[in-house]
Amino acid sequence: MTFKGNYKKKIVLLASGNGTNIENILNYFNNNDRISFLKVFTNNSKAKVLERVEPFSIKSRCFNINELKEGVILKELKLLNPDLIILAGFLLKIPSSIVNYFTNRIINIHPALLPNYGGKGMYGINVHKAVKKNNEKKSGITIHYLDESYDTGKIIFQKEVEIFESDSFEEISKKVHNLELEYFPKVIESILFKV
């Protein structure tokens, strides 16, 4: 969909935890009148992301896994009809009914260079520990479209960072997270506006 006239791109955000990427995205687009953030969905009522989005006056919605599996969330997403659904640290598997309805409209960020270190259970610190254990010389981020499997959708963007033998997995995590903060909003902008 191309930008025409006063049409605002509609965005929905999904997160399960801390929400630093979501907060960063909201800050990046804070004065952009071509984007409307409709809602933040989380499966975790204690998620820090709920606090982080408060200053932006965005509606939030906590849901449970049954609502996801039984189509309640799909119905809500259909009503919102977003141009893009952004997963940033969202840990539940998205049902195929949602993936198929919003084909090429759901993106995810993964803290490794896919196809390496992807799949079920490979998220957050688990990824960085595996990278450290295997003495990798590099790691990075992958932004990709969502498909019906974990971390196998079409890759949109990758950026790598050098890893040193002396780096702890915490240091690897910080390096990768810095890439997320720098590049995720820019890639979102390029997807929405083909910049």
Side-chain angles (χ1 to χ4, degrees), residues 35-170:
I35 288 182
S36 174
F37 289 98
L38 303 178
K39 194 174 275 192
V40 174
F41 286 83
T42 182
N43 61 305
N44 178 3
S45 61
K46 295 184 172 69
K48 182 88 171 168
V49 68
L50 295 169
E51 292 174 37
R52 291 186 187 277
V53 301
E54 278 180 8
F56 299 94
S57 303
I58 297 170
K59 294 175 183 173
S60 58
R61 161 85 157 94
C62 286
F63 65 90
N64 62 51
I65 196 163
N66 289 332
E67 290 178 292
L68 188 64
K69 288 179 176 177
E70 293 165 8
V72 175
I73 300 305
L74 175 58
K75 284 180 187 171
E76 291 183 28
L77 289 171
K78 282 181 178 178
L79 287 173
L80 291 170
N81 191 29
D83 294 290
L84 198 62
I85 299 171
I86 299 168
L87 277 55
F90 185 72
L91 301 182
L92 296 181
K93 192 168 191 290
I94 300 291
S96 57
S97 56
I98 295 177
V99 173
N100 293 331
Y101 188 86
F102 293 100
T103 301
N104 292 331
R105 285 197 279 166
I106 309 174
I107 63 169
N108 181 47
I109 189 163
H110 186 76
L113 298 169
L114 293 174
N116 299 328
Y117 303 104
K120 189 172 184 180
M122 293 306 285
Y123 58 87
I125 209 70
N126 295 349
V127 173
H128 307 307
K129 284 181 176 177
V131 166
K132 173 66 179 172
K133 184 179 177 183
N134 290 332
N135 297 310
E136 296 287 0
K137 301 289 186 283
K138 62 184 181 181
S139 190
I141 59 169
T142 303
I143 298 166
H144 64 94
Y145 288 109
L146 212 66
D147 65 10
E148 293 183 44
S149 300
Y150 284 106
D151 305 321
T152 59
K154 182 183 172 191
I155 292 172
I156 303 164
F157 176 87
Q158 288 187 309
K159 188 72 177 179
E160 64 182 52
V161 66
E162 190 175 2
I163 302 296
F164 301 106
E165 200 175 324
S166 59
D167 286 342
S168 66
F169 66 81
E170 293 94 347

Side-chain angles (χ1 to χ4, degrees), residues 5-42:
N6 293 323
Y7 178 80
K8 284 190 173 190
K9 298 288 190 178
K10 298 180 292 184
I11 310 295
V12 166
L13 302 157
L14 278 77
S16 294
N18 202 13
T20 52
N21 270 312
I22 300 273
E23 183 180 40
N24 185 55
I25 290 164
L26 294 174
N27 277 319
Y28 184 87
F29 291 109
N30 198 24
N31 295 312
N32 190 321
D33 59 3
R34 298 191 295 168
I35 288 182
S36 174
F37 289 98
L38 303 178
K39 194 174 275 192
V40 174
F41 286 83
T42 182

